[in-house]
Amino acid sequence: MRNIQFFSTDTDDGVVSVVAKTGPGEHRRVAQIPVGNAPRGGVKFTQNGRGFVCNTSQNTISEIDAVALTEVRRIEVGHGPRGQGMVPGDHYLLVSNSGSNSISVVDLELNTEVHQIPTGRDPRHMGISADGSTAWVCVWGDGYVSKLNISALGSDNPAAITEISRIPVDREAHPYSLSIDPSGRKVFVANTQATFVTVIDAETDETHRVDVGFIGGRAVAFTPDGRHALVTVESISRVYVIDVDTLQVVRHVPVGPGPRGLVIDPGDDTAYITNFARANMMHSGDNHPLFGPNSLTMVDLTSAPLDRDEGTFTYEEVHVGYGPCSVVLFDLDTLSAEERARRVEHASTQA
């Protein structure tokens, strides 16, 4: 039996919904964790289960505990926090402040903001290289991706972080989120107001456009084998599948209404997509599952080929809270039994 939890950031409810998974098709909502006002973005976890989520209508991030399923504290950052990046080593968290046009550096040992880095207008979601040397940040309002040298964090010197380059996407494209492919060579950018996905060469900053035909790109994730990038396109309620090597769209997957967040469980090759739409957005004739808003679409990625338009995928609907914008996975089996027991006991004494 597996011990997986999915954390859905439910903006309209002001909660993070927690769905437990013990096996294929075995899902149960086990908690809703109240956090701050209008939480946005995926929860970012340290390896020992400390999770952080942005409270966008405030100037705080909430820390939640993956075991006790409670809010632990709130940490003040800039205004309108929307996106985060956990720096390898779990000492620092980067937070994009859409209202302050800055990136906060949060020291997770001190539980406080220690520095702010100015950016362009309205920074959103980001990705950090596996070696912790580089961060890429979507600057939604100015149409570019900011590339930061964050290697100074390795010597505990946040003030020495520098911007290496500003990689143009398109001023009207509004780059929203990005993800680095498992090889570390390519950065895939989802654009909310462009009909293309932008792919950045991580070394040279050269860009390539992959046409998907519709605006509304929101999130990017990769299959466990690294061969395919999956991109949610909210306006058409589909997930587009892109071959990472050839940068060609190889098929699309109809999903529930208004897809935004996306995560793939590598244990059984299933994708979980948040259905954010506040009203039903079904598109007739496209074989969409008859799922409503405020849920997750679960897609068995092994039930049909990803590299060609053949066969029909197997789906399941998992209910969460109102306005789910992002979803992430945490495997409780990565924690020791003693650590899980200790933290549950601590939570019960604080209640």
Side-chain angles (χ1 to χ4, degrees):
M1 184 176 72
R2 305 178 69 203
N3 199 7
I4 303 294
Q5 290 178 335
F6 294 92
F7 291 78
S8 171
T9 304
D10 301 334
T11 298
D12 295 351
D13 266 347
V15 302
V16 174
S17 292
V18 186
V19 175
K21 175 180 180 178
T22 55
E26 299 171 354
H27 301 90
R28 180 170 58 95
R29 197 179 78 183
V30 294
Q32 288 191 310
I33 307 169
V35 289
N37 194 11
R40 290 270 185 170
V43 180
K44 298 298 182 182
F45 281 102
T46 64
Q47 291 189 18
N48 67 354
R50 296 177 68 192
F52 299 87
V53 66
C54 294
N55 300 315
T56 301
S57 292
Q58 299 172 326
N59 64 331
T60 63
I61 58 172
S62 289
E63 179 181 343
I64 62 176
D65 190 303
V67 178
L69 303 182
T70 56
E71 183 184 45
V72 177
R73 63 173 57 86
R74 295 184 189 179
I75 301 171
E76 290 190 5
V77 290
H79 293 287
R82 282 186 184 263
Q84 302 174 106
M86 184 67 66
V87 179
D90 295 346
H91 185 171
Y92 293 102
L93 179 74
L94 303 184
V95 181
S96 61
N97 304 309
S98 62
S100 297
N101 298 334
S102 66
I103 303 293
S104 291
V105 182
V106 177
D107 187 316
L108 297 182
E109 293 182 4
L110 301 176
N111 296 317
T112 189
E113 178 193 80
V114 293
H115 186 58
Q116 278 196 26
I117 306 150
T119 68
R121 186 168 61 89
D122 201 346
R124 297 292 179 101
H125 303 289
M126 69 179 74
I128 296 176
S129 63
D131 64 2
S133 66
T134 310
W136 288 266
V137 183
C138 290
V139 182
W140 189 87
D142 283 330
Y144 67 86
V145 170
S146 177
K147 185 178 183 180
L148 303 175
N149 180 348
I150 61 170
S151 58
L153 293 177
S155 55
D156 297 324
N157 188 10
I161 292 174
T162 58
E163 185 176 57
I164 304 169
S165 60
R166 295 185 172 186
I167 305 168
V169 175
D170 186 292
R171 189 170 183 85
E172 304 302 322
H174 294 300
Y176 182 79
S177 72
L178 57 79
S179 189
I180 305 162
D181 89 292
S183 75
R185 297 193 301 267
K186 297 174 182 177
V187 180
F188 283 69
V189 184
N191 304 307
T192 60
Q193 298 300 315
T195 61
F196 56 85
V197 171
T198 301
V199 182
I200 302 170
D201 185 299
E203 183 176 352
T204 67
D205 295 349
E206 293 180 359
T207 61
H208 181 89
R209 293 183 177 184
V210 180
D211 183 41
V212 295
F214 298 91
I215 65 169
R218 287 289 182 175
V220 183
F222 297 92
T223 54
D225 61 11
R227 293 177 55 196
H228 297 103
L230 275 63
V231 182
T232 55
V233 179
E234 183 177 19
S235 65
I236 196 67
S237 295
R238 294 174 180 169
V239 171
Y240 281 78
V241 183
I242 300 171
D243 185 295
V244 170
D245 289 332
T246 66
L247 300 183
Q248 299 297 311
V249 174
V250 290
R251 79 171 300 170
H252 67 261
V253 183
V255 293
R260 287 199 175 186
L262 167 66
V263 70
I264 297 174
D265 181 355
D268 57 13
D269 279 11
T270 52
Y272 294 78
I273 303 103
T274 60
N275 299 321
F276 181 80
R278 292 178 172 88
N280 199 295
M281 292 175 58
M282 289 295 98
H283 296 269
S284 61
D286 207 4
N287 297 318
H288 286 266
L290 298 178
F291 299 159
N294 310 315
S295 65
L296 307 178
T297 298
M298 190 199 84
V299 185
D300 180 356
L301 298 179
T302 67
S303 59
L306 284 176
D307 59 358
R308 59 191 183 277
D309 190 12
E310 177 183 302
T312 302
F313 288 96
T314 300
Y315 298 94
E316 180 184 345
E317 184 178 26
V318 181
H319 292 282
V320 287
Y322 287 94
C325 68
S326 299
V327 60
V328 301
L329 175 156
F330 188 79
D331 185 351
L332 285 172
D333 287 334
T334 60
L335 303 176
S336 68
E338 292 77 15
E339 176 66 8
R340 295 198 299 269
R342 182 187 69 79
R343 290 164 70 172
V344 170
E345 180 181 1
H346 175 74
S348 65
T349 61
Q350 300 299 308

